[in-house]
């Protein structure tokens, strides 16, 4: 778990900062719109999945419970999409 958290520390911090700026400043020049709020909430969800992935994966390996594997896969997919999205914003 420690290795996973150390690998995801910088991207999770980056995403948390972006979501904080999205809520605090509003995205765009039109103020805080529904789209800005939705984007900020998705960013918070993505940061939460990055924090939860190493713990869920460690628990799934340790206890070999099917629901933990499913939750690990879901958070892994959300984390992978987030990392690709924020590393390559032009895609």
């Amino acid at each position: 778990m420690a290795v996973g958290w150390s690998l995801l520390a910088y991207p999770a911090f980056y995403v948390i900062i972006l979501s904080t700026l999205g809520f605090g400043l509003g995205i765009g020049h039109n103020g805080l719109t529904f789209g800005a709020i939705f984007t900020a909430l998705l960013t918070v969800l993505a940061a939460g999945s990055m924090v939860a992935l190493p713990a869920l994966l460690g628990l799934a390996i340790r206890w070999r419970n099917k629901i933990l594997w499913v939750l690990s896969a879901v958070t892994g997919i959300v984390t992978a999409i987030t990392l690709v999205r924020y590393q390559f914003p032009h895609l």
Side-chain angles (χ1 to χ4, degrees):
M1 281 193 268
V3 172
W5 277 326
S6 66
L7 291 174
L8 291 175
Y10 175 72
F13 178 73
Y14 179 71
V15 169
I16 289 170
I17 292 297
L18 286 178
S19 67
T20 303
L21 290 175
F23 275 128
L25 301 177
I27 298 174
H29 299 287
N30 297 332
L32 197 59
T33 61
F34 176 75
I37 293 171
F38 185 72
T39 302
L41 288 174
L42 283 178
T43 308
V44 169
L45 173 73
S49 71
M50 279 195 240
V51 171
L53 177 63
L56 286 173
L57 192 58
L59 290 173
I61 291 171
R62 169 92 172 138
W63 288 329
R64 296 187 179 143
N65 190 348
K66 185 177 181 178
I67 191 69
L68 290 173
W69 284 107
V70 171
L71 290 173
S72 296
V74 169
T75 56
I77 290 169
V78 172
T79 299
I81 291 170
T82 304
L83 290 176
V84 168
R85 173 69 179 107
Y86 284 106
Q87 293 300 318
F88 306 105
H90 59 279
L91 292 178

